[in-house]
């Protein structure tokens, strides 16, 4: 989707291998909370969009899992001023909770259009959803 002139920068805590033909993909092996990982991300700014499919390691305890998901989304939101230019977009996974609902209000204040999307493949009892936002307006 980014074409030959675009770049994709991926962060994962595990090693990812891609064929050499993916020369415009940069993979950073690290943790999104780690300062070194954040500095690596900053080398490639600005990004047109941030796509986070990150999810915390689940425990089976819905309260703990929702809190960890919220903290992950909060970390991603804290990085947006460093990564996104005006009119950029965000797509981020979260486990819907009261905390995520409050953060959703903050996201609506920073983007011109925000919706939530629940993929059809999501299990019926799962709280997983995606926040899809476009038209970033730096605070």
């Amino acid at each position: 989707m980014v074409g030959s002139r675009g770049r994709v920068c991926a962060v994962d805590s595990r090693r990812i291998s891609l064929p050499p033909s993916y020369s415009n993909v940069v993979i950073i092996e690290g943790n999104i909370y780690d300062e070194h990982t954040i500095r690596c991300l900053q080398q490639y700014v600005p990004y047109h969009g941030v796509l986070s499919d990150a999810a915390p390691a689940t425990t089976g305890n819905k309260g703990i899992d929702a809190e960890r998901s919220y903290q992950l989304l909060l970390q991603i939101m804290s990085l947006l001023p460093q990564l996104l230019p005006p009119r950029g977009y965000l797509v981020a996974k979260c486990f819907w909770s009261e905390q995520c609902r409050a953060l959703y209000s903050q996201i609506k204040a920073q983007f011109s259009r925000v919706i939530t999307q629940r993929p059809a493949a999501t299990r019926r009892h799962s709280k997983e959803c995606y926040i899809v936002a476009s038209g970033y307006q730096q605070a």
Side-chain angles (χ1 to χ4, degrees), residues 72-115:
L72 188 55
L73 184 55
L74 197 59
Q75 174 66 6
I76 292 161
M77 292 300 299
S78 75
L79 297 175
L80 293 183
Q82 302 167 54
L83 303 178
L84 277 184
R87 298 184 309 279
Y89 68 88
L90 168 71
V91 178
K93 180 191 291 188
C94 71
F95 298 154
W96 197 251
S97 65
E98 286 304 315
Q99 292 169 308
C100 284
R101 185 184 317 275
L103 193 52
Y104 181 80
S105 295
Q106 290 178 321
I107 295 169
K108 284 180 79 167
Q110 292 180 331
F111 288 85
S112 60
R113 184 169 189 268
V114 183
I115 62 168

Side-chain angles (χ1 to χ4, degrees), residues 13-52:
S13 58
R14 293 172 291 186
R15 182 176 227 67
I16 299 173
S17 298
L18 293 175
S21 61
Y22 285 76
S23 60
N24 59 343
V25 177
V26 176
I27 298 173
I28 300 168
E29 186 177 344
N31 185 310
I32 197 66
Y33 293 103
D34 183 66
E35 283 300 318
H36 175 73
T37 301
I38 294 167
R39 281 193 303 276
C40 289
L41 277 171
Q42 291 169 332
Q43 291 178 22
Y44 302 99
V45 296
Y47 297 96
H48 293 287
V50 170
L51 170 61
S52 173

Side-chain angles (χ1 to χ4, degrees), residues 124-139:
R124 199 174 81 185
H125 299 293
S126 174
K127 297 286 186 183
E128 178 184 272
C129 73
Y130 287 84
I131 295 174
V132 181
S134 60
Y136 182 60
Q137 306 159 12
Q138 284 189 326

